[in-house]
């Protein structure tokens, strides 16, 4: 992705960058008071350019995530962040998104097609995406064509393996830097598996497994088991933070690229678009509601345990009951990617340069606004334990 100058936000975000960055840098010390800083990234193909813009705003503000969790394209972006030195992360993100973006000449030609024809998405479906995936000819010979478990998909993701191994230093992930977690679905058991750098040596296979969306992409085998895209079970992997042990105070930036709310659809095209949004927003609202309840209960247990007479606290039963309580606080800031003018159900394969630039710029702008408003600094009920801060999206125009 071309940069007009060294630190200009991708997608042509305005020169307010330096001002917003200065304001945000002043808040870094306050951020650290919230505990660990966690970045959670949804899956969503080309929509993931929004996440890159979010990270750019964080880096320019001097904010280093302690933990990055991702599914599918979110896992790819997460690996690019965790698998590179801080000074190289933006460059590697830009290299990735530049490589998967359509060639400028092809982009210009496809831009001439009449609205609603769907030629750009047809080209992606028939030719694939450079450095990401390419068609698997055998898969198009019929649904009963016998393929191996590792190649049973309409496309091959071997180009992605090459790209990841070139742009991500997996040794760095193992040796230090932000913790990396990627979610994948076990094909045999239908259970979610979070591969965590704190427990497992990660490589390109783990990231590819997190993005192996069937039937487009084939499953990835790891330690004898096949894995598909974690998004088919949980596309919003905030649960990895909530269920972590030991629990820690956290400031979680949950970057959502599918809209959980939307207008009533009136055409088949609108139905397909809304259906995808609902499917891949992935129970985010119900997860948040559940976590609020759980955290309040944990705080109540901790408060009640403190009121038990000291001699009774020594009993095994009381100690066990008290272990369910904790006073950790989690601030979850949910960023919602905006809708682009004219987008439809093919938006997740919109690898046009204009689409990538617009989504990147929107992520940058939204994160600058979040850092400026700093909603986690507001007064909160200490017994609640879980605080949700919603940042509503705006309609974004193509750049």
């Amino acid at each position: 992705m071309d940069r007009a100058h060294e630190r200009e936000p991708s997608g042509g975000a305005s020169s307010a960058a330096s001002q917003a960055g200065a304001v945000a840098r002043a808040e870094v010390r306050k951020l650290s008071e919230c505990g660990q800083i966690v970045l959670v990234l949804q899956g969503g193909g080309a929509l993931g350019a929004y996440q890159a813009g979010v990270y750019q705003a964080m880096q320019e503000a001097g904010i280093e995530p302690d933990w990055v969790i991702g599914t599918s394209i979110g896992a790819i972006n997460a690996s690019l962040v965790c698998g590179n030195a801080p000074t190289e992360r933006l460059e590697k993100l830009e290299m990735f998104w530049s490589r998967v973006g359509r060639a400028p000449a092809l982009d210009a030609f496809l831009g001439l097609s009449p609205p609603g024809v769907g030629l750009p998405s047809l080209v992606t479906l028939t030719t694939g995406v450079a450095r990401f995936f390419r068609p698997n000819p055998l898969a198009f010979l019929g649904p009963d064509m016998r393929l191996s478990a590792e190649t049973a998909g309409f496309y091959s993701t071997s180009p992605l393996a090459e790209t990841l191994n070139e742009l991500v230093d997996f040794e760095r992930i193992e040796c230090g830097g932000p913790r990396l977690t990627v979610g994948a679905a076990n094909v045999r058991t239908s259970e979610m598996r979070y591969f965590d750098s704190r427990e497992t040596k990660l490589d390109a296979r783990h990231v590819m497994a997190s993005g192996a969306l069937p039937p487009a992409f084939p499953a990835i085998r790891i330690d004898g088991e096949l894995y598909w895209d974690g998004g088919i079970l949980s596309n919003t992997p905030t649960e990895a933070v909530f269920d972590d042990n030991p629990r820690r105070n956290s400031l979680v930036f949950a970057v959502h690229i599918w809209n959980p709310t939307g207008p009533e659809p009136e055409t088949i095209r609108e139905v397909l678009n809304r259906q995808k949004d609902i499917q891949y927003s992935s129970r985010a609202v119900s997860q948040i509601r559940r976590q609020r309840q759980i955290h309040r209960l944990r705080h109540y247990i901790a408060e009640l345990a403190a009121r038990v007479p000291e001699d009774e606290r020594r009993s095994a039963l009381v100690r066990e009951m008290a272990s369910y309580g904790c006073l950790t606080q989690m601030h979850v800031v949910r960023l919602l990617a905006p809708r682009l003018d004219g987008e439809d159900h093919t938006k997740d394969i919109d690898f046009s340069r204009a689409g990538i630039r617009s989504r990147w710029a929107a992520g940058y702008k939204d994160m600058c606004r979040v850092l400026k408003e700093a909603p986690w600094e507001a007064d909160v009920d200490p017994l609640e334990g879980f605080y949700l801060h919603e940042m509503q999206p705006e309609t974004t125009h193509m750049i």
Side-chain angles (χ1 to χ4, degrees), residues 55-110:
Y55 177 74
Q56 179 177 0
M58 291 180 66
Q59 188 186 74
E60 290 184 357
I63 299 170
E64 172 78 357
D66 298 293
W67 187 7
V68 188
I69 307 170
T71 297
S72 200
I73 194 66
I76 294 175
N77 282 330
S79 70
L80 290 164
V81 170
C82 297
N84 285 289
T87 56
E88 298 176 351
R89 292 171 186 166
L90 270 183
E91 178 185 0
K92 295 301 176 66
L93 281 165
E94 290 177 346
M95 289 175 67
F96 173 79
W97 285 99
S98 176
R99 293 179 184 188
V100 301
R102 283 199 295 263
L106 178 59
D107 223 11
F109 171 74
L110 294 176

Side-chain angles (χ1 to χ4, degrees), residues 56-266:
Q56 179 177 0
M58 291 180 66
Q59 188 186 74
E60 290 184 357
I63 299 170
E64 172 78 357
D66 298 293
W67 187 7
V68 188
I69 307 170
T71 297
S72 200
I73 194 66
I76 294 175
N77 282 330
S79 70
L80 290 164
V81 170
C82 297
N84 285 289
T87 56
E88 298 176 351
R89 292 171 186 166
L90 270 183
E91 178 185 0
K92 295 301 176 66
L93 281 165
E94 290 177 346
M95 289 175 67
F96 173 79
W97 285 99
S98 176
R99 293 179 184 188
V100 301
R102 283 199 295 263
L106 178 59
D107 223 11
F109 171 74
L110 294 176
L112 299 175
S113 61
V117 171
L119 185 57
S121 57
L122 180 61
V123 169
T124 299
L125 292 172
T126 56
T127 65
V129 173
R131 308 301 297 271
F132 197 160
F133 60 90
R134 59 171 175 258
N136 175 13
L138 292 178
F140 292 91
L141 295 179
D144 296 319
M145 180 68 185
R146 182 66 62 180
L147 303 168
S148 70
E150 290 88 349
T151 60
F154 286 111
Y155 302 90
S156 166
T157 52
S158 57
L160 176 60
E162 298 173 4
T163 298
L164 289 172
N165 284 320
E166 180 182 348
L167 299 182
V168 178
D169 182 356
F170 287 98
E171 293 296 327
R172 184 181 185 87
I173 294 173
E174 181 184 17
C175 297
R179 175 182 173 187
L180 172 64
T181 302
V182 298
N186 187 302
V187 175
R188 182 179 60 85
T189 66
S190 71
E191 293 179 326
M192 191 71 175
R193 170 75 184 273
Y194 284 108
F195 294 103
D196 193 327
S197 64
R198 191 174 65 177
E199 304 167 353
T200 305
K201 178 178 172 57
L202 302 184
D203 57 39
R205 294 172 306 148
H206 299 90
V207 179
M208 293 172 65
S210 183
L213 183 64
F217 301 153
I220 302 295
R221 191 177 297 279
I222 300 173
D223 297 332
E225 294 281 359
L226 286 174
Y227 292 92
W228 273 331
D229 191 315
I232 64 178
L233 289 177
S234 180
N235 199 41
T236 311
T238 47
E239 61 195 37
V241 185
F242 304 145
D243 296 335
D244 194 35
N245 189 25
R247 290 182 288 273
R248 296 175 57 189
N249 290 345
S250 303
L251 173 57
V252 182
F253 295 104
V255 186
H256 291 229
I257 48 183
W258 299 94
N259 285 285
T261 60
E264 295 181 355
E266 298 179 349

Side-chain angles (χ1 to χ4, degrees), residues 17-39:
S18 57
Q19 180 182 356
V23 171
R25 278 191 295 274
E27 302 297 326
V28 172
R29 184 170 299 175
K30 294 181 180 179
L31 282 172
S32 64
E33 296 173 0
C34 294
Q36 65 177 344
I37 297 175
V38 186
L39 182 60

Side-chain angles (χ1 to χ4, degrees), residues 247 289-305 321-328 382-386:
R247 290 182 288 273
R289 187 181 301 119
R290 171 179 169 269
Q291 288 301 325
R292 267 185 166 159
Q293 294 171 342
I294 291 174
H295 272 73
R296 179 172 280 272
L297 286 173
R298 284 174 176 161
H299 278 233
Y300 282 161
I301 291 171
E303 289 290 335
L304 289 171
M321 290 189 294
S323 70
Y324 286 92
C326 75
L327 295 175
T328 56
L383 279 181
E384 188 71 30
F386 183 98

